[in-house]
Amino acid sequence: MDPLQQLLAERACERLILDFVHRLDLGEPGSVAELFTEDGWWEWPPPGDGRRSEGREALRKYFGSRPADKLSRRVMSNIRVTVTSEDIAEATSYFTTYRIEGWSGDMVPAGPPVQVGHYQDTFRRVDGRWLLASRTLHLPFGGPTPRQDRGALDR
């Protein structure tokens, strides 16, 4: 693969990582399924809860079931994509998640992050388009999601 093609592949995969969290936080969470191959999967293996969703329909159902009162913002960093062939790539990316439940649409006080971890991703180019083939969550730092029971932030 020539250097320009490699750079374009790396950028396409980085964009998928960012589009994933953008859709979860600011878009339609169930639409992240479209970023995966037809047989793609997401998992949180032990010591996580062992959850796994495989195939676009299962991914759409899983991510689309997030409650409307759950507010999340994820910060992605340290995105490292390695292109292993013309149609295969892998990546490691770190994330920090801020989240509350019981959100009513108002501004809320900033609190500490509830998760810090990383993803291991594989990508496959299908019909000229890069897609996630797998996404594995690794979560060494995690805690309960706080519930917001107060009104708007005092101004």
Side-chain angles (χ1 to χ4, degrees):
M1 176 178 278
D2 73 54
L4 180 57
Q5 292 304 313
Q6 181 173 337
L7 184 63
L8 291 172
E10 290 171 356
R11 179 62 185 124
C13 294
E14 288 173 2
R15 181 61 189 242
L16 280 169
I17 291 168
L18 297 174
D19 283 351
F20 182 95
V21 297
H22 178 80
R23 289 178 184 208
L24 285 181
D25 290 346
L26 298 173
E28 278 297 315
S31 74
V32 301
E34 303 309 316
L35 302 175
F36 285 83
T37 59
E38 286 289 338
D39 61 346
W41 49 267
W42 174 95
E43 70 175 345
W44 185 13
D49 67 7
R51 218 175 323 167
R52 181 178 170 114
S53 294
E54 189 167 344
R56 281 190 182 153
E57 195 52 43
L59 290 162
R60 188 175 292 104
K61 182 177 178 181
Y62 172 69
F63 288 109
S65 69
R66 292 174 181 264
D69 72 341
K70 185 178 275 192
L71 174 66
S72 296
R73 291 296 183 267
R74 292 164 185 85
V75 179
M76 299 300 300
S77 66
N78 303 355
I79 300 171
R80 181 175 174 254
V81 176
T82 303
V83 179
T84 58
S85 75
E86 290 197 14
D87 295 318
I88 304 290
E90 54 192 33
T92 302
S93 57
Y94 291 75
F95 67 89
T96 302
T97 303
Y98 297 85
R99 180 178 327 164
I100 63 161
E101 292 177 347
W103 182 58
S104 62
D106 296 324
M107 185 184 299
V108 296
V114 297
Q115 298 175 331
V116 178
H118 73 278
Y119 284 108
Q120 289 292 139
D121 297 321
T122 60
F123 304 90
R124 197 165 59 228
R125 186 163 48 180
V126 179
D127 297 326
R129 180 176 173 219
W130 286 95
L131 296 168
L132 282 157
S134 68
R135 173 157 261 214
T136 302
L137 169 68
H138 298 276
L139 192 61
F141 301 98
T145 298
R147 179 144 192 94
Q148 178 67 31
D149 292 321
R150 297 181 3 195
L153 184 67
D154 294 335
R155 295 186 173 121

